[in-house]
Amino acid sequence: MQFVADLHVHTVASGHAYSTVLEIARAAADRKLAMIALTDHGPGMPGGPHPYHFSNQVVIPAELFGVRILKGIEANVMDRDGRLDLDEGRLAKMDIVLAGLHTYCAPYGTVEENTTMMINAMKNPWVDVIVHPGNPEYQVDLEAVVKAAVRYDVALEINNSSLTVSRQGSAPYCHTLAGLAKTYGAKLIVGSDSHFALSVGDFGAAAALLAAEGIGPEMVLNTSLERIFAHLRRRTNRRHSF
Protein backbone atom coordinates (compact mmCIF):
# COMPACT_ATOMS: atom_id res chain seq x y z
CA MET A 1 0.00 0.00 0.00
CA GLN A 2 1.37 3.40 -0.99
CA PHE A 3 0.85 6.43 1.24
CA VAL A 4 0.97 10.04 0.03
CA ALA A 5 0.66 11.84 3.38
CA ASP A 6 1.43 11.62 7.06
CA LEU A 7 -1.44 13.32 8.89
CA HIS A 8 -0.17 12.88 12.46
CA VAL A 9 3.17 14.60 13.15
CA HIS A 10 4.49 16.48 16.20
CA THR A 11 7.00 19.33 16.36
CA VAL A 12 9.00 20.64 19.30
CA ALA A 13 5.94 22.73 20.19
CA SER A 14 4.23 19.65 21.65
CA GLY A 15 6.70 19.77 24.53
CA HIS A 16 7.76 16.14 24.23
CA ALA A 17 8.77 15.95 20.56
CA TYR A 18 12.17 16.78 19.19
CA SER A 19 12.10 18.16 15.63
CA THR A 20 11.32 21.47 13.97
CA VAL A 21 8.90 22.17 11.13
CA LEU A 22 11.79 22.46 8.67
CA GLU A 23 13.35 19.18 9.81
CA ILE A 24 9.99 17.43 9.52
CA ALA A 25 9.28 18.84 6.06
CA ARG A 26 12.72 17.77 4.82
CA ALA A 27 12.16 14.28 6.21
CA ALA A 28 8.77 14.11 4.47
CA ALA A 29 10.35 15.17 1.18
CA ASP A 30 13.01 12.49 1.59
CA ARG A 31 10.20 9.95 2.08
CA LYS A 32 8.57 11.19 -1.15
CA LEU A 33 5.43 12.27 0.71
CA ALA A 34 3.20 14.85 -0.95
CA MET A 35 1.70 16.16 2.30
CA ILE A 36 2.11 16.29 6.05
CA ALA A 37 -0.13 17.63 8.80
CA LEU A 38 1.42 19.45 11.75
CA THR A 39 -0.64 18.17 14.67
CA ASP A 40 0.89 19.34 17.91
CA HIS A 41 -0.93 18.52 21.11
CA GLY A 42 -3.43 21.01 22.43
CA PRO A 43 -2.71 23.15 25.51
CA GLY A 44 -4.22 20.62 27.91
CA MET A 45 -1.20 18.35 27.51
CA PRO A 46 1.58 18.98 30.07
CA GLY A 47 4.20 21.03 28.26
CA GLY A 48 1.84 21.71 25.35
CA PRO A 49 1.69 25.02 23.48
CA HIS A 50 -0.46 28.04 24.30
CA PRO A 51 -3.68 28.36 22.24
CA TYR A 52 -2.07 31.25 20.34
CA HIS A 53 0.37 28.76 18.82
CA PHE A 54 -2.46 27.35 16.73
CA SER A 55 -3.74 30.74 15.61
CA ASN A 56 -0.22 31.71 14.54
CA GLN A 57 0.29 28.70 12.27
CA VAL A 58 -0.74 31.00 9.42
CA VAL A 59 2.91 32.10 9.27
CA ILE A 60 4.00 28.61 8.17
CA PRO A 61 4.21 28.29 4.37
CA ALA A 62 1.62 26.14 2.63
CA GLU A 63 4.44 24.16 1.02
CA LEU A 64 8.01 23.35 2.00
CA PHE A 65 10.50 21.32 -0.08
CA GLY A 66 7.65 20.33 -2.37
CA VAL A 67 5.54 18.97 0.51
CA ARG A 68 2.12 20.47 1.20
CA ILE A 69 1.73 21.51 4.85
CA LEU A 70 -1.60 21.23 6.67
CA LYS A 71 -1.85 23.24 9.88
CA GLY A 72 -3.68 21.18 12.48
CA ILE A 73 -3.88 19.94 16.03
CA GLU A 74 -4.07 16.75 18.02
CA ALA A 75 -6.62 18.02 20.50
CA ASN A 76 -6.93 16.36 23.88
CA VAL A 77 -10.29 15.09 25.05
CA MET A 78 -10.65 16.58 28.52
CA ASP A 79 -13.83 15.11 30.00
CA ARG A 80 -16.59 12.54 29.45
CA ASP A 81 -18.65 15.10 27.55
CA GLY A 82 -15.96 14.98 24.85
CA ARG A 83 -14.84 18.57 25.43
CA LEU A 84 -11.57 19.43 23.68
CA ASP A 85 -8.76 21.67 24.91
CA LEU A 86 -9.06 24.29 22.16
CA ASP A 87 -12.03 26.54 21.56
CA GLU A 88 -14.22 25.97 18.52
CA GLY A 89 -13.26 29.34 17.03
CA ARG A 90 -9.67 28.17 16.68
CA LEU A 91 -10.61 24.61 15.73
CA ALA A 92 -12.67 26.01 12.85
CA LYS A 93 -9.53 27.59 11.42
CA MET A 94 -7.50 24.39 11.44
CA ASP A 95 -6.90 22.51 8.19
CA ILE A 96 -7.32 19.25 10.10
CA VAL A 97 -8.36 18.35 13.65
CA LEU A 98 -7.34 15.11 15.32
CA ALA A 99 -8.70 14.24 18.75
CA GLY A 100 -7.72 11.55 21.22
CA LEU A 101 -7.75 10.30 24.79
CA HIS A 102 -4.46 10.93 26.56
CA THR A 103 -3.02 10.33 30.01
CA TYR A 104 -3.05 13.49 32.18
CA CYS A 105 -5.97 14.85 30.14
CA ALA A 106 -8.88 12.43 29.70
CA PRO A 107 -10.26 10.78 32.86
CA TYR A 108 -9.99 7.02 33.12
CA GLY A 109 -13.24 5.14 33.26
CA THR A 110 -15.09 1.96 32.49
CA VAL A 111 -15.37 0.64 28.94
CA GLU A 112 -18.82 2.22 28.77
CA GLU A 113 -17.60 5.59 30.09
CA ASN A 114 -14.58 5.61 27.75
CA THR A 115 -16.77 4.71 24.80
CA THR A 116 -19.21 7.51 25.57
CA MET A 117 -16.31 9.97 25.93
CA MET A 118 -14.81 8.99 22.57
CA ILE A 119 -18.14 9.14 20.76
CA ASN A 120 -18.93 12.51 22.33
CA ALA A 121 -15.64 13.81 20.90
CA MET A 122 -16.75 12.64 17.45
CA LYS A 123 -19.82 14.84 17.76
CA ASN A 124 -17.65 17.96 17.80
CA PRO A 125 -18.31 19.63 14.43
CA TRP A 126 -14.59 20.15 13.74
CA VAL A 127 -13.16 16.71 14.54
CA ASP A 128 -11.84 14.92 11.45
CA VAL A 129 -10.02 11.95 12.99
CA ILE A 130 -10.03 10.01 16.27
CA VAL A 131 -6.46 8.97 16.97
CA HIS A 132 -5.21 5.70 18.43
CA PRO A 133 -8.68 4.38 19.38
CA GLY A 134 -7.05 0.98 19.96
CA ASN A 135 -5.14 2.26 23.00
CA PRO A 136 -5.68 -0.35 25.79
CA GLU A 137 -5.19 2.36 28.42
CA TYR A 138 -8.66 3.62 27.46
CA GLN A 139 -10.53 0.49 26.49
CA VAL A 140 -13.72 1.10 24.50
CA ASP A 141 -16.48 -0.84 22.81
CA LEU A 142 -14.79 -0.90 19.42
CA GLU A 143 -17.92 -1.90 17.51
CA ALA A 144 -19.83 1.05 18.98
CA VAL A 145 -16.91 3.37 18.17
CA VAL A 146 -16.71 2.20 14.55
CA LYS A 147 -20.47 2.54 14.06
CA ALA A 148 -20.34 6.06 15.52
CA ALA A 149 -17.42 6.98 13.26
CA VAL A 150 -19.54 6.04 10.26
CA ARG A 151 -22.55 7.93 11.64
CA TYR A 152 -20.59 11.15 12.31
CA ASP A 153 -18.30 10.78 9.26
CA VAL A 154 -15.10 10.79 11.31
CA ALA A 155 -12.02 8.77 10.34
CA LEU A 156 -10.30 6.37 12.73
CA GLU A 157 -6.54 6.03 12.97
CA ILE A 158 -4.31 2.99 12.85
CA ASN A 159 -1.39 4.46 14.73
CA ASN A 160 2.02 3.10 13.74
CA SER A 161 3.61 4.30 16.98
CA SER A 162 1.07 2.25 18.97
CA LEU A 163 2.40 -0.84 17.21
CA THR A 164 6.07 -0.01 17.78
CA VAL A 165 7.25 2.36 20.54
CA SER A 166 4.20 3.50 22.52
CA ARG A 167 0.87 2.30 23.96
CA GLN A 168 2.07 -1.26 24.37
CA GLY A 169 -0.62 -3.90 23.97
CA SER A 170 -2.48 -1.98 21.25
CA ALA A 171 -2.01 -4.54 18.45
CA PRO A 172 -4.97 -6.86 19.14
CA TYR A 173 -7.34 -3.91 19.56
CA CYS A 174 -6.08 -2.33 16.34
CA HIS A 175 -6.63 -5.61 14.48
CA THR A 176 -10.19 -5.76 15.81
CA LEU A 177 -10.76 -2.12 14.90
CA ALA A 178 -9.54 -2.64 11.34
CA GLY A 179 -11.78 -5.67 10.90
CA LEU A 180 -14.80 -3.78 12.16
CA ALA A 181 -13.97 -0.80 9.94
CA LYS A 182 -14.00 -3.15 6.96
CA THR A 183 -17.34 -4.61 8.05
CA TYR A 184 -19.08 -1.27 8.57
CA GLY A 185 -17.28 0.84 5.96
CA ALA A 186 -15.52 3.27 8.29
CA LYS A 187 -12.82 5.59 6.99
CA LEU A 188 -9.29 4.95 8.22
CA ILE A 189 -6.03 6.84 8.24
CA VAL A 190 -2.56 5.54 9.04
CA GLY A 191 -0.51 7.95 11.14
CA SER A 192 3.13 7.76 12.18
CA ASP A 193 2.47 9.83 15.33
CA SER A 194 6.02 10.98 14.75
CA HIS A 195 7.77 12.74 17.61
CA PHE A 196 11.15 12.80 15.81
CA ALA A 197 11.70 13.65 12.17
CA LEU A 198 13.21 10.31 11.17
CA SER A 199 9.90 8.55 11.88
CA VAL A 200 7.82 10.81 9.62
CA GLY A 201 6.11 8.58 7.08
CA ASP A 202 7.02 5.38 8.94
CA PHE A 203 3.94 3.22 8.42
CA GLY A 204 5.48 -0.25 8.25
CA ALA A 205 3.78 -1.91 11.21
CA ALA A 206 0.40 -0.32 10.47
CA ALA A 207 0.58 -1.27 6.80
CA ALA A 208 1.31 -4.88 7.74
CA LEU A 209 -1.71 -4.88 10.06
CA LEU A 210 -3.98 -3.54 7.32
CA ALA A 211 -2.71 -6.17 4.90
CA ALA A 212 -3.39 -8.91 7.43
CA GLU A 213 -6.99 -7.66 7.81
CA GLY A 214 -7.54 -7.39 4.05
CA ILE A 215 -7.90 -3.60 4.10
CA GLY A 216 -7.43 -2.03 0.66
CA PRO A 217 -6.24 1.50 -0.14
CA GLU A 218 -9.78 2.65 -0.94
CA MET A 219 -10.56 2.57 2.81
CA VAL A 220 -7.47 4.56 3.85
CA LEU A 221 -7.65 8.32 3.37
CA ASN A 222 -3.95 9.01 3.17
CA THR A 223 -3.37 6.75 0.19
CA SER A 224 -4.79 9.53 -1.99
CA LEU A 225 -4.75 13.32 -1.83
CA GLU A 226 -8.21 13.30 -3.38
CA ARG A 227 -9.55 11.15 -0.53
CA ILE A 228 -7.98 13.46 2.05
CA PHE A 229 -9.40 16.57 0.39
CA ALA A 230 -12.85 15.00 0.05
CA HIS A 231 -12.89 14.15 3.76
CA LEU A 232 -11.78 17.64 4.79
CA ARG A 233 -14.20 19.34 2.40
CA ARG A 234 -17.18 17.90 4.26
CA ARG A 235 -16.64 20.86 6.60
CA THR A 236 -17.60 23.57 4.14
CA ASN A 237 -16.61 26.65 6.13
CA ARG A 238 -12.96 25.87 6.87
CA ARG A 239 -10.34 28.58 6.47
CA HIS A 240 -8.89 26.88 3.38
CA SER A 241 -10.59 25.31 0.40
CA PHE A 242 -9.08 22.06 -0.82
Side-chain angles (χ1 to χ4, degrees):
M1 191 179 298
Q2 295 295 314
F3 299 94
V4 300
D6 191 344
L7 302 177
H8 189 168
V9 178
H10 294 273
T11 78
V12 290
S14 281
H16 58 275
Y18 305 97
S19 300
T20 66
V21 172
L22 284 176
E23 289 167 341
I24 288 164
R26 286 194 185 101
D30 290 343
R31 287 268 191 174
K32 310 300 184 188
L33 294 175
M35 174 187 287
I36 57 171
L38 303 176
T39 54
D40 285 309
H41 280 286
M45 177 65 67
H50 188 276
Y52 188 71
H53 166 82
F54 299 98
S55 301
N56 201 46
Q57 284 183 312
V58 294
V59 305
I60 300 171
E63 185 176 300
L64 290 166
F65 310 111
V67 179
R68 180 146 185 182
I69 311 295
L70 299 185
K71 291 78 176 277
I73 184 173
E74 183 184 9
N76 301 291
V77 179
M78 300 302 292
D79 58 32
R80 294 200 174 103
D81 292 331
R83 182 177 61 89
L84 304 182
D85 59 342
L86 197 68
D87 61 274
E88 290 201 5
R90 286 187 172 92
L91 292 175
K93 295 177 181 179
M94 299 288 98
D95 293 329
I96 185 169
V97 175
L98 317 183
L101 311 183
H102 297 96
T103 307
Y104 306 117
C105 298
Y108 293 115
T110 64
V111 169
E112 181 179 5
E113 288 170 331
N114 294 340
T115 302
T116 297
M117 180 163 52
M118 189 173 286
I119 292 173
N120 282 341
M122 292 183 199
K123 296 176 183 178
N124 185 295
W126 299 111
V127 170
D128 298 301
V129 180
I130 295 293
V131 292
H132 45 70
N135 180 6
E137 194 172 15
Y138 290 95
Q139 292 191 26
V140 296
D141 179 339
L142 288 170
E143 185 169 24
V145 163
V146 169
K147 287 181 176 179
V150 173
R151 182 182 316 124
Y152 296 110
D153 199 10
V154 172
L156 299 171
E157 182 194 45
I158 302 296
N159 185 293
N160 198 77
S161 180
S162 293
L163 302 170
T164 53
V165 297
S166 62
R167 292 176 289 276
Q168 298 302 308
S170 293
Y173 299 99
C174 293
H175 274 280
T176 299
L177 178 79
L180 289 166
K182 185 177 181 181
T183 297
Y184 292 107
K187 296 175 181 176
L188 297 173
I189 74 161
V190 171
S192 71
D193 199 358
S194 174
H195 285 65
F196 186 67
L198 293 181
S199 61
V200 171
D202 183 359
F203 304 130
L209 185 151
L210 293 179
E213 294 297 331
I215 303 294
E218 70 282 353
M219 286 187 58
V220 184
L221 295 180
N222 57 314
T223 60
S224 160
L225 291 181
E226 290 72 23
R227 289 191 189 96
I228 295 170
F229 294 150
H231 185 62
L232 299 180
R233 283 192 198 106
R234 78 204 195 292
R235 308 296 193 221
T236 57
N237 55 340
R238 284 189 183 280
R239 180 184 62 214
H240 296 300
S241 59
F242 298 103

